[in-house]
Each structure stands twice: as C-alpha cells, then as structure tokens.
Amino acid sequence: KQEVTQIPAALSVPEGENLVLNCSFTDSAIYNLQWFRQDPGKGLTSLLLIQSSQREQTSGRLNASLDKSSGRSTLYIAASQPGDSATYLCAVTYAGGTSYGKLTFGQGTILTVHP
Amino acid sequence: EPEVTQTPSHQVTQMGQEVILRCVPISNHLYFYWYRQILGQKVEFLVSFYNNEISEKSEIFDDQFSVERPDGSNFTLKIRSTKLEDSAMYFCASSELGQGAGELFFGEGSRLTVL
C-alpha cells in the first residue's frame, strides 16, 4: 500500500528565506507526483505536476524535484513571502492496478512565513 | 481561468438524512473524482468516474455513497443516510487526462457537518 510522508510537519521562517519541503513515498511505481497548496478551510490549489519520467518542474519561485527510484520529492520555495503561508500537500498517483487518477496524499507541511 | 465549482459550501444535516453535494467540473475534462478530508487528517480518495461509470472506489465508498452525472455539466455525490463520522470536507476534482497522467484540479470543497 502506497504511503506518503511529508517532513517537516510544520515550518516557520522569516520572510525572504529560501526553504525546502520534503515528501517521500513508499512505492516508486508512480505515474506522477503533484504538489498542492491549501489555505485554511479552503480547497486544494495545484502548484506543480511532475510526471514519473521528469526530474523537475518549475513555476515562478517554486521548483519541485522528483527522484522516483529513492521515493522522494522536494519542493523548493525561493525568497519566501508572508503570502506563501499555507499547508503544502504532496500527492502521488500509483501506477499499479486500475488507478484512474487516484491520488494518495501526505499529511502536509504547515508553512508560516513571518514578516 | 477554468475552475471546479462546488455547492453548497457548507451543509449541516441531522444524522440519518440524505445529502447531495454538487460539483461542476471543468468543461473539457472527462475524469471526475470525489475526495474527502476529515478535520486534521489526510485527504482521502473516495471515487473516480469516467464515461458515466465508476472507475475505481475506495473502501470508504460503501453502499451509502453514490455518484451521478445527471447532465452534461454536473457531477454529484449522494450520501444516503448520514452518520456522525461522515462529517468532513468533501472535494470534487476533475482532470482532462486519465490513467494517472492528468493533473487534477480541485474545487473549494463542501463542508458537511452531521449532528
């Protein structure tokens, strides 16, 4: 059974700092990995999608990497801002069986960026 | 930008009552999903739907749950006889591609409170 773990559970940084969020998954047979942002009481906003054949994806100040063989992904946020404060979720799509977009989520990293 | 919309944003119901949660997926998407998030827990997969039938469902998605695409735009989740433990945020999602290749886009969620 696929398990997704995110470290750290919470992170508090001063504005302007570069930071890294970690995600690990137990089964390397994945189609893709997706990073989401969730604001309190809100929905999930897709940040980046990395297909299993890719090593990284970039969007603005965000860069996500994927090392499928070791079951790890990192989300790098450059020059953090208070508006980046949110919960960041990692999710993978398992390539085995009859998976039709079934995402398995981690528990998230709660990020606080203080001015 | 196209988005997934969900109604209602919050519903309070009595235990044993039937609830219908509604979703309008992104118009050119073909794959539809329901996920839920119990307060403080991980986001969990419930069901995926393609070509007017269920593609995959989790063990959570028992006989009290059903999904339907009654017309060309809506996608609904029905909970027949609600229980206290059904209290959660329910998220609808859609993707253009299936087979794990597609990026999932989520709605803002419907918060269900069962009393």
Side-chain angles (χ1 to χ4, degrees), chain B residues 12-23:
Chain B
V12 181
T13 190
Q14 295 291 325
M15 191 169 54
Q17 295 297 303
E18 177 182 284
V19 163
I20 297 176
L21 305 179
R22 292 183 168 80
C23 169

PDB file of all heavy atoms in Angstrom, chain B residues 12-23:
ATOM      1  N   VAL B  12     -25.243  21.598   6.962  1.00  0.00           N
ATOM      2  CA  VAL B  12     -25.455  20.974   8.267  1.00  0.00           C
ATOM      3  C   VAL B  12     -26.680  20.085   8.150  1.00  0.00           C
ATOM      4  O   VAL B  12     -27.719  20.509   7.635  1.00  0.00           O
ATOM      5  CB  VAL B  12     -25.661  22.037   9.369  1.00  0.00           C
ATOM      6  CG1 VAL B  12     -25.854  21.357  10.720  1.00  0.00           C
ATOM      7  CG2 VAL B  12     -24.481  23.001   9.420  1.00  0.00           C
ATOM      8  N   THR B  13     -26.559  18.846   8.611  1.00  0.00           N
ATOM      9  CA  THR B  13     -27.662  17.915   8.489  1.00  0.00           C
ATOM     10  C   THR B  13     -27.762  17.056   9.738  1.00  0.00           C
ATOM     11  O   THR B  13     -26.815  16.951  10.519  1.00  0.00           O
ATOM     12  CB  THR B  13     -27.480  17.023   7.247  1.00  0.00           C
ATOM     13  OG1 THR B  13     -28.673  16.280   7.003  1.00  0.00           O
ATOM     14  CG2 THR B  13     -26.332  16.049   7.438  1.00  0.00           C
ATOM     15  N   GLN B  14     -28.916  16.460   9.911  1.00  0.00           N
ATOM     16  CA  GLN B  14     -29.122  15.552  11.026  1.00  0.00           C
ATOM     17  C   GLN B  14     -28.715  14.145  10.616  1.00  0.00           C
ATOM     18  O   GLN B  14     -28.880  13.746   9.453  1.00  0.00           O
ATOM     19  CB  GLN B  14     -30.598  15.556  11.443  1.00  0.00           C
ATOM     20  CG  GLN B  14     -31.087  16.887  11.995  1.00  0.00           C
ATOM     21  CD  GLN B  14     -30.474  17.203  13.343  1.00  0.00           C
ATOM     22  OE1 GLN B  14     -30.241  16.299  14.161  1.00  0.00           O
ATOM     23  NE2 GLN B  14     -30.210  18.480  13.589  1.00  0.00           N
ATOM     24  N   MET B  15     -28.197  13.397  11.564  1.00  0.00           N
ATOM     25  CA  MET B  15     -27.822  12.007  11.321  1.00  0.00           C
ATOM     26  C   MET B  15     -28.992  11.238  10.712  1.00  0.00           C
ATOM     27  O   MET B  15     -30.144  11.410  11.151  1.00  0.00           O
ATOM     28  CB  MET B  15     -27.413  11.382  12.653  1.00  0.00           C
ATOM     29  CG  MET B  15     -26.759  10.034  12.566  1.00  0.00           C
ATOM     30  SD  MET B  15     -26.051   9.546  14.155  1.00  0.00           S
ATOM     31  CE  MET B  15     -27.441   9.709  15.251  1.00  0.00           C
ATOM     32  N   GLY B  16     -28.711  10.446   9.684  1.00  0.00           N
ATOM     33  CA  GLY B  16     -29.747   9.657   9.039  1.00  0.00           C
ATOM     34  C   GLY B  16     -30.367  10.332   7.824  1.00  0.00           C
ATOM     35  O   GLY B  16     -31.075   9.678   7.045  1.00  0.00           O
ATOM     36  N   GLN B  17     -30.099  11.620   7.648  1.00  0.00           N
ATOM     37  CA  GLN B  17     -30.643  12.338   6.499  1.00  0.00           C
ATOM     38  C   GLN B  17     -29.794  12.104   5.253  1.00  0.00           C
ATOM     39  O   GLN B  17     -28.605  11.775   5.337  1.00  0.00           O
ATOM     40  CB  GLN B  17     -30.715  13.841   6.794  1.00  0.00           C
ATOM     41  CG  GLN B  17     -31.684  14.211   7.906  1.00  0.00           C
ATOM     42  CD  GLN B  17     -33.109  13.853   7.531  1.00  0.00           C
ATOM     43  OE1 GLN B  17     -33.646  14.301   6.513  1.00  0.00           O
ATOM     44  NE2 GLN B  17     -33.758  13.040   8.365  1.00  0.00           N
ATOM     45  N   GLU B  18     -30.419  12.301   4.116  1.00  0.00           N
ATOM     46  CA  GLU B  18     -29.715  12.196   2.833  1.00  0.00           C
ATOM     47  C   GLU B  18     -29.139  13.548   2.454  1.00  0.00           C
ATOM     48  O   GLU B  18     -29.757  14.595   2.675  1.00  0.00           O
ATOM     49  CB  GLU B  18     -30.693  11.730   1.749  1.00  0.00           C
ATOM     50  CG  GLU B  18     -30.076  11.653   0.365  1.00  0.00           C
ATOM     51  CD  GLU B  18     -31.088  11.222  -0.686  1.00  0.00           C
ATOM     52  OE1 GLU B  18     -31.409  10.016  -0.722  1.00  0.00           O
ATOM     53  OE2 GLU B  18     -31.551  12.090  -1.450  1.00  0.00           O
ATOM     54  N   VAL B  19     -27.943  13.507   1.875  1.00  0.00           N
ATOM     55  CA  VAL B  19     -27.261  14.729   1.458  1.00  0.00           C
ATOM     56  C   VAL B  19     -26.785  14.556   0.018  1.00  0.00           C
ATOM     57  O   VAL B  19     -26.311  13.476  -0.359  1.00  0.00           O
ATOM     58  CB  VAL B  19     -26.051  15.010   2.381  1.00  0.00           C
ATOM     59  CG1 VAL B  19     -25.111  16.004   1.756  1.00  0.00           C
ATOM     60  CG2 VAL B  19     -26.517  15.493   3.741  1.00  0.00           C
ATOM     61  N   ILE B  20     -26.922  15.596  -0.764  1.00  0.00           N
ATOM     62  CA  ILE B  20     -26.366  15.607  -2.122  1.00  0.00           C
ATOM     63  C   ILE B  20     -25.413  16.780  -2.243  1.00  0.00           C
ATOM     64  O   ILE B  20     -25.796  17.932  -2.007  1.00  0.00           O
ATOM     65  CB  ILE B  20     -27.469  15.702  -3.188  1.00  0.00           C
ATOM     66  CG1 ILE B  20     -28.375  14.483  -3.127  1.00  0.00           C
ATOM     67  CG2 ILE B  20     -26.836  15.822  -4.584  1.00  0.00           C
ATOM     68  CD1 ILE B  20     -29.550  14.535  -4.091  1.00  0.00           C
ATOM     69  N   LEU B  21     -24.187  16.477  -2.605  1.00  0.00           N
ATOM     70  CA  LEU B  21     -23.186  17.503  -2.843  1.00  0.00           C
ATOM     71  C   LEU B  21     -22.979  17.621  -4.349  1.00  0.00           C
ATOM     72  O   LEU B  21     -22.873  16.605  -5.048  1.00  0.00           O
ATOM     73  CB  LEU B  21     -21.864  17.136  -2.153  1.00  0.00           C
ATOM     74  CG  LEU B  21     -21.960  16.845  -0.655  1.00  0.00           C
ATOM     75  CD1 LEU B  21     -20.605  16.466  -0.095  1.00  0.00           C
ATOM     76  CD2 LEU B  21     -22.551  18.020   0.098  1.00  0.00           C
ATOM     77  N   ARG B  22     -22.913  18.843  -4.818  1.00  0.00           N
ATOM     78  CA  ARG B  22     -22.884  19.082  -6.263  1.00  0.00           C
ATOM     79  C   ARG B  22     -21.564  19.703  -6.692  1.00  0.00           C
ATOM     80  O   ARG B  22     -20.951  20.485  -5.973  1.00  0.00           O
ATOM     81  CB  ARG B  22     -24.042  19.975  -6.669  1.00  0.00           C
ATOM     82  CG  ARG B  22     -25.380  19.300  -6.524  1.00  0.00           C
ATOM     83  CD  ARG B  22     -26.543  20.151  -6.982  1.00  0.00           C
ATOM     84  NE  ARG B  22     -27.770  19.360  -7.087  1.00  0.00           N
ATOM     85  CZ  ARG B  22     -28.542  19.030  -6.062  1.00  0.00           C
ATOM     86  NH1 ARG B  22     -28.224  19.429  -4.855  1.00  0.00           N
ATOM     87  NH2 ARG B  22     -29.634  18.306  -6.263  1.00  0.00           N
ATOM     88  N   CYS B  23     -21.202  19.375  -7.912  1.00  0.00           N
ATOM     89  CA  CYS B  23     -19.929  19.814  -8.474  1.00  0.00           C
ATOM     90  C   CYS B  23     -20.128  20.094  -9.962  1.00  0.00           C
ATOM     91  O   CYS B  23     -20.852  19.359 -10.652  1.00  0.00           O
ATOM     92  CB  CYS B  23     -18.891  18.711  -8.272  1.00  0.00           C
ATOM     93  SG  CYS B  23     -17.335  18.929  -9.162  1.00  0.00           S
TER      94      CYS B  23
END
